């Protein structure tokens, strides 16, 4: 295998391990560049409600109903606490589409309210892959925006979130990185 292909294969393997907060990427022939991600928050939330449009989330996750070819729309409300640099409470809705292969396409609109009353808009897209063990793996790319001066540093940055959803209890655990 050529050095370039070896670097690309190595980079692909590392990119899948986001929890290490470090991603290696192959740049040009033989050149490598490391990107270090800094954890901004730890998020512990719960699913607080689900609106379906003809196919229930419980049936989809139990496997008693297959997602239709066009997908199944679910509005999944959630809320909980964030700790770290962006501490506070987070509430929102994931306007999810469950694809025919069972993956959830995420379209998240939420807000973080900090202890000092600042509101930060959170918008993310991503994917969730339910596992046979009842734990779904989650990966998101997020954009945060606010006009509260203390937190304007979030504007214009791209954030990465990774974590899990316990599909039996509705518990959501995420790490947010910048």
């Amino acid at each position: 295998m050529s050095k370039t292909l070896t670097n690309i294969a190595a980079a692909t393997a590392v990119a899948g391990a986001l929890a290490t907060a470090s991603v290696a990427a192959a740049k040009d022939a033989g050149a490598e560049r490391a990107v270090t991600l800094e954890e901004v928050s730890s998020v512990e939330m719960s699913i607080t409600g689900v609106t379906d449009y003809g196919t229930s989330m419980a049936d989809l996750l139990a496997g008693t109903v297959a997602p239709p070819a066009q997908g199944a729309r679910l509005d999944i409300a959630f809320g909980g606490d964030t700790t770290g640099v962006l501490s506070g409470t987070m509430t929102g809705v994931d306007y999810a589409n469950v694809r025919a292969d069972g993956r959830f396409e995420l379209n998240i609109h939420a807000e973080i309210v900090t202890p000092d009353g600042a509101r930060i808009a959170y918008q993310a897209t991503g994917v969730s892959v339910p596992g046979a063990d009842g734990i779904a793996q989650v990966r998101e790319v997020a954009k945060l925006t606010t006009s509260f001066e203390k937190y304007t540093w979030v504007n214009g940055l791209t954030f990465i979130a990774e974590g899990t959803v316990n599909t039996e209890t509705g518990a959501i655990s995420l790490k947010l990185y910048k």
Side-chain angles (χ1 to χ4, degrees):
M1 184 180 299
S2 73
K3 188 172 184 179
T4 301
L5 291 177
T6 301
N7 288 339
I8 291 170
T12 302
V14 172
L18 245 178
T20 64
S22 178
V23 177
K27 191 172 179 180
D28 291 320
E32 289 186 15
R33 185 177 77 117
V35 176
T36 302
L37 300 175
E38 177 184 336
E39 185 177 326
V40 176
S41 291
S42 179
V43 184
E44 298 296 328
M45 299 182 291
S46 295
I47 294 173
T48 58
V50 178
T51 302
D52 70 62
Y53 298 91
T55 305
S56 81
M57 185 163 82
D59 288 344
L60 289 166
L61 292 172
T64 58
V65 172
Q70 73 276 11
R73 168 74 182 272
L74 299 170
D75 295 350
I76 305 167
F78 57 86
D81 297 317
T82 67
T83 57
V85 177
L86 290 178
S87 64
T89 59
M90 185 175 190
T91 57
V93 177
D94 180 359
Y95 301 99
N97 181 56
V98 185
R99 300 180 345 181
D101 65 3
R103 289 177 181 246
F104 285 57
E105 293 176 336
L106 309 178
N107 180 10
I108 299 163
H109 294 262
E111 77 171 350
I112 298 170
V113 179
T114 64
D116 56 0
R119 290 180 311 283
I120 302 167
Y122 182 100
Q123 183 176 0
T125 58
V127 65
S128 178
V129 182
D133 60 356
I135 303 298
Q137 299 300 314
V138 177
R139 301 291 184 270
E140 302 172 5
V141 177
K143 177 182 176 183
L144 282 66
T145 54
T146 190
S147 294
F148 286 89
E149 187 64 35
K150 182 177 175 181
Y151 300 98
T152 56
W153 61 269
V154 303
N155 298 333
L157 295 178
T158 300
F159 293 82
I160 304 294
E162 64 87 22
T164 60
V165 176
N166 183 317
T167 59
E168 294 173 11
T169 67
I172 303 166
S173 295
L174 296 172
K175 298 286 185 187
L176 182 65
Y177 302 96
K178 69 173 185 166

